[in-house]
Amino acid sequence: MYDLQKVEEIVFMEIKNVSGMRKAIIKKTTPLIGNESIIDSMKLVELCLSLEDIAEDLGFEFDWTSEKAMSTSRSMFKDAGSLAKEFLRQWKEN
């Protein structure tokens, strides 16, 4: 049930949807913050809100706004792979 590869597929697809680049190749190392990011800060928020909805469908709350989440924000939002790992971690905890 808790499959990192499946979660990566979900997160990477949402990155494509939010960015409007549906044909883009999203990898674990695709940056989500910084100059090389394929999305801006508003799109990053949109992505997190979309992941909240997906998490709700999966029966848990994806928390990207708490103090705990923000204390690791550099690693969580560093790249697509880090965000997928955090999503999976929170899913497993709930």
Side-chain angles (χ1 to χ4, degrees):
M1 183 174 207
Y2 304 115
D3 180 1
L4 179 58
Q5 185 175 2
K6 183 63 177 168
V7 170
E8 286 174 347
E9 289 173 15
I10 292 167
V11 171
F12 296 2
M13 183 57 69
E14 286 308 305
I15 293 169
K16 288 181 182 186
N17 291 339
V18 167
S19 71
M21 301 174 167
R22 289 188 171 72
K23 294 185 180 187
I25 296 172
I26 306 298
K27 301 177 185 177
K28 293 179 185 182
T29 58
T30 300
L32 297 180
I33 57 174
N35 293 335
E36 296 179 22
S37 174
I38 65 166
I39 56 176
D40 62 21
S41 58
M42 292 301 292
K43 294 289 184 184
L44 182 60
V45 171
E46 187 178 330
L47 171 63
C48 289
L49 293 172
S50 179
L51 291 175
E52 278 184 350
D53 292 341
I54 292 168
E56 185 176 323
D57 291 343
L58 294 172
F60 78 99
E61 182 179 334
F62 179 60
D63 186 5
W64 56 277
T65 61
S66 73
E67 186 175 317
K68 182 179 178 184
M70 288 300 133
S71 68
T72 60
S73 65
R74 293 187 72 169
S75 62
M76 179 170 48
F77 296 118
K78 180 179 121 181
D79 54 43
S82 299
L83 184 58
K85 285 180 184 175
E86 177 61 18
F87 188 89
L88 178 61
R89 184 192 68 74
Q90 290 187 29
W91 186 14
K92 284 181 177 179
E93 284 187 356
N94 290 293

